[in-house]
């Protein structure tokens, strides 16, 4: 009970801890309550099988590896078409490989504390891509009412969110190269993400800016754009 309280991962209880050969502390946990069926909601009472899933979590007095002793449960509702299901929790939803509190800490470090993504990734021993994904999710799901804010300085940066893709037109058999770029717009005073748009040129950014009220645009005094050409920068900032 004391170890569960200290570890403090909601919906889980502490089972045991060991030190691996490389000196990493491995913590085994188990969900506390029998889950409800994702289809019908009936609470399960009978287990079918067990598996061990590694999940990423925040460092606790150093790097740790969390192992979830995870169960598949029978759905005993006769009219439900789902025969069995693996449990999931608010902290670790279905198909997730990290805890919700880790993602929250990553977002807090980047958006509220202003730390670089590479620095945040190194500090939490995760990949840059995971930090980027967490920030993207937070930006899309938790963006404030941007038009109600009054930013003085904007920062615009580009990110490639996956490798180059090629698509074949079934009508012409011609291949088209797709560059998967996106641009993030932030308030440089607070680090708050204001918007995420497709592409890396002035087209998407200009469309986003022109949607802002005139008073909002007139209040912006500085735009930091390090990657656009002079022509593209003039086109984007011309929206002000």
């Amino acid at each position: 009970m004391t170890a569960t309280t200290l570890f403090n991962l909601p919906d889980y209880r502490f089972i045991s801890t060991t030190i691996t050969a490389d000196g990493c502390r491995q913590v085994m946990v188990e969900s506390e309550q029998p889950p409800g069926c994702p289809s019908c909601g009936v609470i399960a009472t009978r287990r079918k099988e067990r598996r061990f899933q590694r999940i990423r979590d925040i460092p606790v007095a150093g790097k740790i590896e969390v192992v979830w002793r995870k169960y598949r449960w029978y759905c005993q509702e006769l009219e439900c078409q789902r025969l069995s299901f693996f449990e999931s929790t608010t902290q670790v939803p279905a198909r997730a490989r990290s805890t919700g509190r880790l993602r929250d800490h990553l977002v807090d470090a980047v958006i509220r504390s202003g730390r670089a993504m590479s620095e945040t990734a190194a500090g939490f021993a995760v990949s840059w891509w995971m930090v980027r994904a967490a920030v993207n999710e937070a930006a899309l799901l938790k963006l404030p009412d941007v038009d109600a804010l009054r930013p003085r300085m904007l920062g615009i940066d580009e990110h490639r969110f996956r490798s180059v893709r090629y698509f074949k037109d079934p009508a012409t058999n011609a291949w088209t190269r797709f560059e998967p770029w996106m641009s993030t717009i932030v308030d440089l005073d607070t680090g708050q993400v204001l918007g995420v748009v497709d592409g890396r040129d002035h087209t998407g950014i200009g469309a986003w800016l022109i949607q802002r009220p005139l008073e909002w645009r007139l209040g912006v005094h500085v735009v930091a754009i390090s990657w656009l050409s002079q022509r593209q920068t003039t086109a984007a900032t011309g929206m002000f």
Side-chain angles (χ1 to χ4, degrees):
M1 182 65 181
T2 301
T4 297
T5 302
L6 291 174
F7 191 58
N8 195 30
L9 181 60
D11 304 325
Y12 291 86
R13 63 171 172 264
F14 176 90
I15 301 299
S16 64
T17 183
T18 56
I19 304 298
T20 62
D22 59 358
C24 177
R25 186 162 60 255
Q26 187 180 82
V27 177
M28 184 171 294
V29 297
E30 190 176 72
S31 55
E32 289 189 308
Q33 300 295 332
C37 173
S39 297
C40 66
V42 173
I43 300 300
T45 59
R46 191 159 64 97
R47 295 169 175 168
K48 181 178 181 180
E49 62 178 295
R50 182 179 68 182
R51 71 162 55 166
F52 296 93
Q53 177 182 335
R54 287 177 170 80
I55 53 178
R56 294 180 291 262
D57 194 24
I58 58 175
V60 179
K63 182 181 177 181
I64 66 169
E65 179 184 69
V66 178
V67 179
W68 178 10
R69 194 160 71 184
K70 185 176 183 179
Y71 292 95
R72 180 188 288 274
W73 297 76
Y74 287 103
C75 179
Q76 296 175 271
E77 173 56 49
L78 298 180
E79 297 186 4
C80 182
Q81 295 183 350
R82 186 185 292 266
L83 300 179
S84 64
F85 60 93
F86 271 108
E87 57 192 352
S88 61
T89 67
T90 301
Q91 279 291 317
V92 188
R95 294 181 292 278
R97 294 294 180 267
S98 58
T99 63
R101 69 179 180 183
L102 172 58
R103 295 188 292 274
D104 289 343
H105 276 68
L106 296 177
V107 172
D108 186 76
V110 174
I111 293 181
R112 296 180 179 84
S113 301
R115 296 171 64 183
M117 290 192 186
S118 56
E119 178 189 353
T120 301
F124 286 88
V126 299
S127 68
W128 182 93
W129 296 105
M130 180 180 176
V131 179
R132 183 68 221 176
V135 172
N136 287 349
E137 180 183 10
L140 294 174
L141 299 180
K142 303 176 183 179
L143 280 177
D145 182 359
V146 176
D147 292 342
L149 303 177
R150 291 295 178 263
R152 299 182 309 108
M153 300 188 295
L154 297 184
I156 305 176
D157 196 11
E158 63 175 7
H159 299 281
R160 174 179 278 174
F161 55 89
R162 61 164 61 98
S163 60
V164 173
R165 302 294 176 91
Y166 291 86
F167 296 94
K168 186 176 183 180
D169 187 332
T172 64
N173 289 328
W175 288 90
T176 302
R177 177 187 173 100
F178 174 68
E179 293 276 359
W181 290 91
M182 61 185 293
S183 299
T184 305
I185 306 166
V186 302
D187 182 341
L188 292 179
D189 281 322
T190 65
Q192 172 68 56
V193 175
L194 303 176
V196 180
V197 300
D198 289 331
R200 59 184 301 201
D201 58 21
H202 68 274
T203 304
I205 298 171
W208 185 88
L209 289 172
I210 204 65
Q211 294 175 4
R212 310 282 71 81
L214 178 59
E215 183 183 0
W216 191 99
R217 286 181 277 147
L218 291 176
V220 177
H221 297 163
V222 176
V223 180
I225 312 175
S226 60
W227 48 268
L228 292 180
S229 67
Q230 181 62 42
R231 181 178 178 182
Q232 290 172 315
T233 301
T234 302
T237 55
M239 297 300 171
F240 294 95

